[in-house]
Amino acid sequence: MSLANSLLSSNLSWSSSSPMPLPSVTPLHVDAFTFPPAVESPASHKRLFLGGAGIRWFDIKGKFVIVTVIGVYLEAMALPSISAKWKGKNAKELTESVPFFSQLVTGEFEKLARVTMKKRLTGIRYSEKVVEYCEEIMKASGKYTRSEAKAIDQFLMVFKNQDFPPGSSIIFAICPKGSLTIAFSKEERVPKTGKAVIKNKLLGEAVLESMIGKNGVSPATRKSLAERLSKLMNKKDPYNEANVNVATKN
């Protein structure tokens, strides 16, 4: 029996008091910031495992400037879900696969992206740039409606009076039922609750796609996800030593 089938079958015996275990993963150190192996989502309060992390950078007057570092966390169910189709693929194949990242973005499991600042950004500047990418993605899908336009307006309002100095973070929790929870943190820990919830499935998916999709702003995060998930799917026992502690540092 394959990893995916065995885990999907086993899931029938797991209850809310005994959730699916997280894969065994290591923390990632990205330009002086450490992404812990697991965090608790401010949306569902589920424990999510670190899928990958990387930098976003710009060439500013010929200089390599890192603007943010990005970590992407996934619900435990993500591993058997993607293994059904992608087990056996190597990191290079996954990195170059548009359908693979499309499944990560749209899959029926929770995703969380943490964006930590290396350079100061205002909420208005950050949100307007994200909206620019998201509108392009949603319009290209042919599904952009008044509902998405309203969600965009709500998104911009959430960031209107915010300021993000170096070390501060924006957390996006994308739930499969269609909500996007946004939280802010000035510390290393992920907040227990979000600042706002926007109920629009396409916007939540577009936010994540803008980071790790084919034309996403962080090819490094995309590559990291492909490398780590390929190794997990091809492991005989990806759950060995899986009881990773959730980061609770204050």
Side-chain angles (χ1 to χ4, degrees), residues 202-248:
L202 286 181
L203 177 59
E205 292 174 352
V207 168
L208 184 59
E209 185 175 343
S210 73
M211 300 177 197
I212 64 170
K214 181 181 179 181
N215 300 310
V217 299
S218 182
T221 304
R222 180 184 174 96
K223 182 180 179 182
S224 175
L225 281 161
E227 290 173 346
R228 284 166 67 94
L229 292 174
S230 175
K231 287 179 181 179
L232 281 173
M233 287 188 287
N234 294 316
K235 269 187 177 183
K236 184 177 180 180
D237 181 10
Y239 297 91
N240 184 38
E241 299 179 357
N243 294 320
V244 183
N245 291 327
V246 176
T248 57

Side-chain angles (χ1 to χ4, degrees), residues 40 43 56 90 96 108 118 142 147 195 216 246:
E40 183 179 294
R56 181 188 181 186
N90 61 39
E96 297 173 352
E108 292 297 311
K118 300 297 295 182
S147 177
K195 179 176 178 62
V246 176

Side-chain angles (χ1 to χ4, degrees), residues 4-237:
N5 289 336
S6 64
L7 288 173
L8 288 169
S9 298
S10 299
N11 190 37
L12 296 175
S13 64
W14 287 324
S15 66
S16 58
S17 61
S18 180
M20 179 181 284
L22 294 181
S24 178
V25 297
T26 58
L28 279 174
H29 309 285
V30 181
D31 195 58
F33 184 84
T34 299
F35 290 95
V39 297
E40 183 179 294
S41 166
S44 66
H45 303 294
K46 291 180 180 178
R47 297 172 68 236
L48 311 178
F49 72 92
L50 179 60
I55 62 171
R56 181 188 181 186
W57 67 279
F58 287 101
D59 184 333
I60 301 177
K61 296 181 180 180
K63 292 185 178 180
F64 180 89
V65 179
I66 297 173
V67 181
T68 61
V69 292
I70 300 170
V72 176
Y73 290 81
L74 304 169
E75 187 178 347
M77 189 62 195
L79 188 60
S81 178
I82 62 175
S83 293
K85 183 175 182 179
W86 302 103
K87 181 177 171 63
K89 302 292 185 181
N90 61 39
K92 185 175 185 296
E93 290 173 314
L94 295 184
T95 300
E96 297 173 352
S97 173
V98 173
F100 172 70
F101 280 92
S102 178
Q103 185 175 351
L104 279 186
V105 168
T106 64
E108 292 297 311
F109 45 82
E110 187 175 357
K111 286 81 64 171
L112 181 148
R114 176 173 187 153
V115 181
T116 298
M117 305 299 158
K118 300 297 295 182
K119 298 291 182 181
R120 179 181 292 273
L121 290 173
T122 65
I124 292 175
R125 183 181 178 188
Y126 176 83
S127 60
E128 286 180 346
K129 197 64 182 176
V130 172
V131 161
E132 181 182 324
Y133 287 116
C134 289
E135 283 186 325
E136 183 178 338
I137 290 168
M138 291 189 290
K139 287 178 180 178
S141 73
K143 299 177 182 178
Y144 189 86
T145 68
R146 289 183 180 180
S147 177
E148 281 65 51
K150 182 179 178 180
I152 287 289
D153 289 341
Q154 292 174 326
F155 185 91
L156 291 170
M157 285 300 297
V158 173
F159 286 86
K160 186 176 181 181
N161 298 314
Q162 299 297 322
D163 183 65
F164 302 104
S168 60
S169 297
I170 303 166
I171 294 93
F172 299 105
I174 302 110
C175 292
K177 291 184 179 180
S179 66
L180 169 65
T181 298
I182 303 170
F184 303 132
S185 177
K186 304 294 184 184
E187 306 168 331
E188 289 186 16
R189 67 181 182 85
V190 172
K192 292 188 177 295
T193 58
K195 179 176 178 62
V197 179
I198 301 174
K199 295 183 178 180
N200 188 280
K201 183 176 176 64
L202 286 181
L203 177 59
E205 292 174 352
V207 168
L208 184 59
E209 185 175 343
S210 73
M211 300 177 197
I212 64 170
K214 181 181 179 181
N215 300 310
V217 299
S218 182
T221 304
R222 180 184 174 96
K223 182 180 179 182
S224 175
L225 281 161
E227 290 173 346
R228 284 166 67 94
L229 292 174
S230 175
K231 287 179 181 179
L232 281 173
M233 287 188 287
N234 294 316
K235 269 187 177 183
K236 184 177 180 180
D237 181 10

